[in-house]
Amino acid sequence: MKLLPTLICITVYLGCFVIKTFAEIETVTISIQQELKESETPKPISWVLLPDGSGRSLLVLQGGQILVVPPDLKESKITSFLKLSPDQMIVKDFEEGLLGLVFHPKYRSNGLFYLYNTLQSPKRSVLVERRVKDLKRLELDSSHDRTLLEIEQPYWNHNSGVPEFGPDGYLYLSTGDGGNANDPHDFSQNTFSLLGKVLRIDVDKREGALQYGIPEDNPFKNKPGYRGEIWTIGMRNPWRLHWDIPSNTLFCADVGQHQKEEINVIKKGGNYGWSFREGTEVFSLKNRKPSADIEFIDPVFEYGHDEGTSVSGGIVYRGDNHPELYGHYIFGDWGTGKCWAIKVKNDLVVSKKYIEFVLDEEVINDLPKFVNGKPQSPFKPVNFCISAKNELVLLDWQGSVYFTR
Ligand SMILES: [Ca+2]
Ligand SMILES: [Ca+2]
């Protein structure tokens, strides 16, 4: 751990000097090592511990493959759990594909898990329930393939992903605004659309024609003009949700357009602004005015496009090896590789640190670099996950898996 002195950065923009002063922020330095080096792991998007006490983990790849990794990470023992057909999911492999997996809270007794992925013709996102019939051998029940939700997607981008179960046993799913740019159909604020929202559903029930139930205490249940599944409004492209059970907090990193990247604390019925706002700023491009009675919830933390271009949310660290990060929400930027740890109390950031990751004695995510306005980084974090030992797993979208030491 080291404390950076106040930094004065001089950058040249169109011939003029812009002087920026960054406040004094502690930088935590953490050594990492690459794992699964010999294995093909293109576009890893999630590392999920199997909730069966075996210490095995699943590595979810955006192309549709899910690998089973043994507790000792021995590559010769890696097996395939399942494989979705990329042809059915993907036209543009930048944001389409398999985007999330979550186990049912009662997985040990019912074997259920959920996949969130895109499908084509017509373009849509689906939430599908599958079942493991032999938990030890991880054998799938091929007859169990239940589509709970299908959400039409007008464009290839902004499909969000990574559903989570809350401490209440309900499933929370974030959705993007449909895609393109500028939320062209105003889906995020449209309360009859499931796009641009956080949704909350009961996978153990059925309601009318729906393949799930809508919890009685959902904020807009039975309210005219609203879909009852909606938990929050005004999301752009959440990547990703995370329920921190010890603090009873649902975190939502929301990818911004050209100005601000957001970390939000999700509140029942909240309106998180897009596309009236981007972060704490008015999104003026659309020249629309929100009605006076809407109260927007600002992010608890945001950064501008001088530090990154696309936020990748993570998890709250509760491991033993890095006490300086304990209780901090860990996240980073996909474009520049810059990483942060923030501790949030009563919706306020009470501690903020940068994290430098060191691989073979070299920092892989030091100061952000932009070349012709595009971020350059050897490290493109797409997710921050938890290992079987409760330590950090970093997934680099370029195909690498790193463990902290
Ligand atoms: Ca889309
Ligand atoms: Ca927002």
Side-chain angles (χ1 to χ4, degrees):
M1 202 186 343
K2 68 181 180 199
L3 214 56
L4 275 188
T6 302
L7 272 181
I8 308 243
C9 248
I10 302 176
T11 323
V12 184
Y13 286 118
L14 303 169
C16 25
F17 287 95
V18 178
I19 297 178
K20 280 189 76 165
T21 309
F22 294 103
E24 203 164 283
I25 295 171
E26 186 183 325
T27 296
V28 178
T29 303
I30 292 185
S31 291
I32 57 172
Q33 61 196 33
Q34 191 178 353
E35 300 288 356
L36 315 190
K37 275 188 193 171
E38 307 300 321
S39 308
E40 286 286 306
T41 57
K43 294 189 182 147
I45 56 110
S46 204
W47 179 279
V48 188
L49 187 62
L50 260 166
D52 63 357
S54 70
R56 295 176 293 179
S57 301
L58 298 183
L59 177 60
V60 183
L61 305 175
Q62 192 177 337
Q65 178 117 46
I66 302 175
L67 303 173
V68 186
V69 184
D72 60 7
L73 309 179
K74 229 179 177 170
E75 292 183 74
S76 58
K77 290 194 277 180
I78 292 175
T79 55
S80 179
F81 176 54
L82 68 82
K83 194 173 186 332
L84 301 181
S85 157
D87 298 348
Q88 288 172 11
M89 296 195 296
I90 299 167
V91 169
K92 274 200 141 178
D93 64 1
F94 187 55
E95 293 184 37
E96 291 182 330
L98 177 55
L99 301 171
L101 174 151
V102 67
F103 287 100
H104 191 285
K106 295 187 179 134
Y107 169 77
R108 279 189 194 220
S109 55
N110 64 21
L112 296 174
F113 66 98
Y114 300 84
L115 298 175
Y116 178 71
N117 59 274
T118 56
L119 283 177
Q120 304 294 334
S121 313
K123 221 175 242 315
R124 61 208 192 274
S125 290
V126 293
L127 178 72
V128 177
E129 181 184 86
R130 304 286 303 267
R131 196 176 85 85
V132 176
K133 63 179 178 190
D134 184 328
L135 264 55
K136 198 162 175 237
R137 293 167 55 199
L138 282 178
E139 198 179 323
L140 286 173
D141 173 359
S142 58
S143 68
H144 193 105
D145 192 342
R146 183 168 81 93
T147 299
L148 278 78
L149 256 175
E150 287 198 67
I151 304 171
E152 199 180 327
Q153 289 287 354
Y155 308 102
W156 62 272
N157 57 348
H158 301 182
N159 302 318
S160 192
V162 191
E164 287 262 284
F165 278 94
D168 48 21
Y170 296 130
L171 187 135
Y172 293 75
L173 174 71
S174 57
T175 61
D177 65 5
N180 204 331
N182 307 320
D183 187 11
H185 307 287
D186 296 335
F187 282 132
S188 289
Q189 295 288 330
N190 178 343
T191 53
F192 208 73
S193 167
L194 297 184
L195 292 168
K197 309 291 184 308
V198 174
L199 311 174
R200 180 188 190 234
I201 61 172
D202 183 350
V203 299
D204 297 325
K205 294 214 171 111
R206 311 278 191 279
E207 199 162 312
L210 301 173
Q211 282 290 315
Y212 51 85
I214 294 177
E216 287 306 314
D217 60 341
N218 266 19
F220 307 112
K221 182 160 185 171
N222 300 324
K223 189 172 176 181
Y226 285 76
R227 289 287 298 254
E229 297 91 332
I230 296 173
W231 189 249
T232 68
I233 298 162
M235 321 315 290
R236 182 175 177 276
N237 185 23
W239 187 268
R240 56 171 283 211
L241 287 179
H242 171 63
W243 256 113
D244 180 48
I245 306 289
S247 69
N248 200 33
T249 306
L250 178 57
F251 285 92
C252 177
D254 199 4
V255 176
Q257 185 157 289
H258 298 309
Q259 305 295 329
K260 299 285 186 181
E261 303 298 314
E262 310 182 0
I263 304 298
N264 296 286
V265 167
I266 292 297
K267 306 282 175 180
K268 172 181 177 176
N271 189 325
Y272 287 79
W274 182 251
S275 51
F276 286 121
R277 294 164 79 78
E278 185 177 353
T280 53
E281 289 180 19
V282 172
F283 183 68
S284 51
L285 251 183
K286 298 186 81 155
N287 204 22
R288 281 181 308 147
K289 286 237 157 34
S291 64
D293 59 336
I294 303 182
E295 271 185 46
F296 296 118
I297 300 178
D298 282 336
V300 292
F301 179 85
E302 67 181 2
Y303 61 90
H305 279 208
D306 52 342
E307 291 192 277
T309 53
S310 182
V311 69
S312 293
I315 42 82
V316 174
Y317 176 76
R318 298 200 178 274
D320 295 329
N321 290 357
H322 301 285
E324 67 274 34
L325 295 182
Y326 189 85
H328 286 69
Y329 177 68
I330 314 292
F331 60 98
D333 189 83
W334 180 87
T336 60
K338 191 159 186 171
C339 294
W340 290 260
I342 59 170
K343 192 170 196 170
V344 178
K345 224 174 188 176
N346 300 323
D347 306 329
L348 291 172
V349 173
V350 295
S351 167
K352 171 178 149 182
K353 301 167 183 188
Y354 290 132
I355 312 177
E356 285 184 349
F357 291 108
V358 177
L359 178 71
D360 301 330
E361 292 173 15
E362 260 184 55
V363 177
I364 59 167
N365 64 329
D366 48 7
L367 286 174
K369 294 175 194 72
F370 291 84
V371 176
N372 298 325
K374 292 245 190 285
Q376 307 285 314
S377 171
F379 176 54
K380 283 180 130 28
V382 66
N383 205 346
F384 300 78
C385 306
I386 297 286
S387 74
K389 292 181 178 152
N390 217 16
E391 294 298 328
L392 278 175
V393 181
L394 319 181
L395 300 181
D396 183 327
W397 196 66
Q398 297 163 121
S400 306
V401 177
Y402 299 106
F403 273 57
T404 50
R405 287 173 188 260

